[in-house]
Every structure is written in C-alpha cells, then in structure tokens.
C-alpha cells in the first residue's frame, strides 16, 4: 500500500517537473509571423504615449504593432520613424533603406523613453506591401 502511494507521488512530481519545464522554456515569439494587434501611423502612435502614457502602456506594451512613417534616422540595425518611433532590428536591415522615405515596420512595443521622447519597438521587420 505504501509502495503504491510513493509511486503516485513520484508520478505527480515528474508531471509537475515536465509542465514546469515546458512553461519556463517555451518557444520565443516570432513577431515577424504574428499578425499585428494594432496598425497605426507613427504620429498617432507616439501621440498616444505623450497624451496618456499610462493608458498607452496598458494598451500597447508587449503587443505586435505595425507602424507606418518616414525614416528620419537610420543605422545598421535600427530605424527611427518621424523622430518619435525607435525600431530595433535583430539583424542588419535588408534591403537597405534611405532617409526621408516612407516605410511600414512591424515590431513589439517595449515602452516609451521619456528622456528621448521615443516609443521603442524591438524584434522589428520591414512589412512588404
């Protein structure tokens, strides 16, 4: 009888370990293949954070955003749209882009930088129309 009890306890422990491991080490999100939760213009997106930062954080943080704007700053792995949306790419930006062109980018919203007054997106990719 005690032996059966220990077997049940051991089985429950193994199941708990399995589900705990699966929960902790789940696959990372692939923002590029996700559909966007919000599709916005860069100016409207940044205004939401300037006008009501707390509500905007609740609404946009960790969501997939598709934003359209004009490139105002460009580096090898990041783009700034309308001087207010900072888009960080995981790899070098391909195809190469040019400043003062309109572009659509999809990424995950990670917050608002009060100092630079920019909304931050990471895991960005260029959306091809």
């Amino acid at each position: 009888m005690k032996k059966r009890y220990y077997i049940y306890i051991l089985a429950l422990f193994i199941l708990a370990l399995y589900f705990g491991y699966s929960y902790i080490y789940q696959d990372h999100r692939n923002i590029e293949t996700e559909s966007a939760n919000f599709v916005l213009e860069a100016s409207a997106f940044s205004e939401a954070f300037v006008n009501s930062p707390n509500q905007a954080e609740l609404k946009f943080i960790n969501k997939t955003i598709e934003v359209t704007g004009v490139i105002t700053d460009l580096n090898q792995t990041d783009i700034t749209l309308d001087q207010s949306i900072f888009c960080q790419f995981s790899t070098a930006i391909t195809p190469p882009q040019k400043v003062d062109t309109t572009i659509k980018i999809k990424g995950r919203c990670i917050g608002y930088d009060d100092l630079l007054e920019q909304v931050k997106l990471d895991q960005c990719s260029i959306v091809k129309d």
Side-chain angles (χ1 to χ4, degrees):
M1 191 71 167
K2 277 190 169 185
K3 194 173 191 178
R4 185 176 278 175
Y5 175 74
Y6 288 123
I7 291 173
Y8 287 135
I9 296 296
L10 181 62
L12 285 174
F13 181 72
I14 290 172
L15 279 173
L17 282 176
Y18 171 75
F19 285 114
Y21 180 84
S22 298
Y23 178 75
I24 292 171
Y25 293 104
Q26 53 188 300
D27 292 335
H28 294 287
R29 291 171 60 185
N30 186 351
I31 300 299
E32 189 171 357
T33 60
E34 286 185 16
S35 58
N37 298 100
F38 299 97
V39 178
L40 303 161
E41 294 290 324
S43 57
F45 189 36
S46 64
E47 276 181 29
F49 278 91
V50 171
N51 294 336
S52 55
N54 292 335
Q55 288 179 331
E57 283 186 4
L58 290 172
K59 184 176 182 179
F60 296 117
I61 294 295
N62 206 26
K63 300 282 195 264
T64 302
I65 311 293
E66 197 171 284
V67 62
T68 303
V70 176
I71 299 173
T72 54
D73 190 28
L74 176 65
N75 292 311
Q76 191 172 8
T77 59
D78 59 71
I79 290 176
T80 303
L81 301 178
D82 294 353
Q83 297 180 347
S84 60
I85 312 291
F86 180 81
C87 306
Q88 180 72 45
F89 291 76
S90 301
T91 59
I93 299 167
T94 54
Q97 302 297 314
K98 295 181 182 176
V99 175
D100 293 328
T101 58
T102 301
I103 190 171
K104 187 183 290 187
I105 294 176
K106 184 176 6 173
R108 178 180 66 125
C109 181
I110 57 172
Y112 182 72
D113 185 337
D114 293 328
L115 183 63
L116 298 175
E117 297 180 347
Q118 291 180 332
V119 179
K120 304 285 186 174
L121 300 177
D122 72 350
Q123 300 179 34
C124 292
S125 61
I126 296 171
V127 178
K128 296 167 179 58
D129 291 324

